[in-house]
Amino acid sequence: MPTESESSVQNKASSRSLGRSLMAHALLLCLFAVAWLLDEPISRAADAWYNGSNELAGEVRQLIISLAQYAQPIGFVLAGSLIWIFDRQHRGRILILSAAILLSGMVSSVGKTLAGRERPRDSDGVYVFHGVVNSLPDSKLASFPSGHTASAFAQSFVLSAMYPAARKLVWPLAVGVAINRIVTVRHFPSDVVAGLWIGLAVGAFIMSRQKFLDWAEQASAAWSRPIHLRTSPVAEWWPAVQEVVSSRLMLAIVCLIMFWAGNGSYSLWDR
């Protein structure tokens, strides 16, 4: 049983945490309101710069396209590979990362279905929402919220919580995704802020649930043990397979694939 003084300390800590959370949501609400008011001028300026008469080309355009890769499946594969290779004692953290990305994707998909907002380049007006009936089959009506941004910020939240030293890397990557979605005119700024909000909320939810953390620790304990196969000839080549999968060479291959995937556009950009 906690003493009265311990209970008092716990209550104060809980109150401070609640206050910080409410403050964060209030700031995000203000940011959303500003973005909502600036949707039209920002989207028009981005379209004129990126797709105008002097259409942006060359390495700058490729860099902008590549920014979204962090929120694509290849970004998750790369993050998971880094955990598997360099943090063998906590490989179960891949499950936490997976849960954050899946949940943020589900929430943003529900939002897209309910809102049915037209994308900037396909829109008859900045604030055109068709609702659930007409939004199901058409990616052109899936602007609100930004799924890429939600996934990117959820991923960055859990990675920065598990690996504080990575904060200077993962947060700029998430911001890069947000910039990509606006500059390429795939989303209005308010779509991106809504996605950012969802991602942060999902990340905070995942990291605050002890069951998720315990689940990851159990998986880590199982995955950190070496696998021994007795059946020949599998037993002969299995150690070599493990070595290749866990090697820096495999990490380099994943990085090259990620770079290559950024040099083009395909259907996943519509998310």
Side-chain angles (χ1 to χ4, degrees), residues 66-76 101 104 146-153 155 173-174 176-178 180-181 258 266 268-269 271:
S66 297
L67 287 174
Q69 290 302 313
Y70 178 66
Q72 295 284 10
I74 192 66
F76 164 73
I101 292 175
S104 63
S146 169
H148 278 81
T149 309
S151 296
F153 277 84
Q155 182 167 250
L173 287 172
V177 172
N180 166 278
R181 307 318 288 160
M258 184 174 179
Y266 42 90
L268 285 175
W269 293 123
R271 196 158 61 86

Side-chain angles (χ1 to χ4, degrees), residues 28 31 67-72 96-97 99-105 108 145-162 167 169-182 189 191-207 271:
L28 286 168
L31 181 61
L67 287 174
Q69 290 302 313
Y70 178 66
Q72 295 284 10
I96 297 178
L97 183 63
I101 292 175
L102 288 173
L103 184 56
S104 63
S108 62
S146 169
H148 278 81
T149 309
S151 296
F153 277 84
Q155 182 167 250
S156 289
F157 191 101
V158 297
L159 286 174
S160 63
M162 295 186 297
R167 289 173 181 171
L169 172 64
V170 297
W171 287 118
L173 287 172
V175 172
V177 172
I179 292 172
N180 166 278
R181 307 318 288 160
I182 296 173
D191 302 333
V192 171
V193 174
L196 179 157
W197 198 340
I198 290 171
L200 294 178
V202 167
F205 172 79
I206 294 292
M207 295 307 299
R271 196 158 61 86

Side-chain angles (χ1 to χ4, degrees), residues 14-248:
S14 178
S15 298
R16 286 195 296 269
S17 177
L18 178 60
R20 288 194 295 268
S21 177
L22 291 175
M23 179 63 71
H25 285 291
L27 290 173
L28 286 168
L29 180 59
C30 292
L31 181 61
F32 178 80
V34 172
W36 180 267
L37 295 173
L38 296 177
D39 271 348
E40 185 173 5
I42 290 178
S43 294
R44 190 186 301 117
D47 193 21
W49 182 62
Y50 192 76
N51 299 305
S53 56
N54 297 318
E55 183 176 330
L56 185 66
E59 294 304 319
V60 175
R61 186 182 184 90
Q62 294 300 334
L63 175 62
I64 293 172
I65 292 175
S66 297
L67 287 174
Q69 290 302 313
Y70 178 66
Q72 295 284 10
I74 192 66
F76 164 73
V77 170
L78 180 58
S81 299
L82 287 168
I83 294 173
W84 187 270
I85 295 170
F86 295 108
D87 193 11
R88 298 189 178 191
Q89 298 302 314
H90 299 100
R91 285 175 169 174
R93 290 179 175 179
I94 295 174
L95 297 178
I96 297 178
L97 183 63
S98 303
I101 292 175
L102 288 173
L103 184 56
S104 63
M106 290 172 60
V107 173
S108 62
S109 294
V110 170
K112 289 174 182 293
T113 301
L114 294 176
R117 188 182 194 181
E118 294 180 348
R119 293 189 185 272
R121 300 205 75 196
D122 303 307
S123 181
D124 294 327
V126 179
Y127 307 114
V128 178
F129 292 80
H130 292 269
V132 62
V133 175
N134 296 316
S135 66
L136 288 173
D138 196 349
S139 174
K140 293 180 179 180
L141 304 180
S143 187
F144 182 90
S146 169
H148 278 81
T149 309
S151 296
F153 277 84
Q155 182 167 250
S156 289
F157 191 101
V158 297
L159 286 174
S160 63
M162 295 186 297
Y163 304 102
R167 289 173 181 171
K168 293 181 179 180
L169 172 64
V170 297
W171 287 118
L173 287 172
V175 172
V177 172
I179 292 172
N180 166 278
R181 307 318 288 160
I182 296 173
V183 172
T184 58
V185 208
R186 299 306 302 162
H187 291 280
F188 292 106
S190 59
D191 302 333
V192 171
V193 174
L196 179 157
W197 198 340
I198 290 171
L200 294 178
V202 167
F205 172 79
I206 294 292
M207 295 307 299
S208 67
R209 293 299 179 270
Q210 190 60 43
K211 287 186 177 181
F212 281 112
L213 305 181
D214 292 341
W215 179 40
E217 287 303 315
Q218 293 171 6
S220 295
W223 292 349
S224 62
R225 293 194 297 266
I227 300 176
H228 299 288
L229 298 177
R230 298 179 181 179
T231 306
S232 185
V234 176
E236 297 179 2
W237 53 259
W238 180 250
V241 172
Q242 286 185 297
E243 184 177 352
V244 171
V245 171
S246 300
S247 67
R248 287 169 174 78

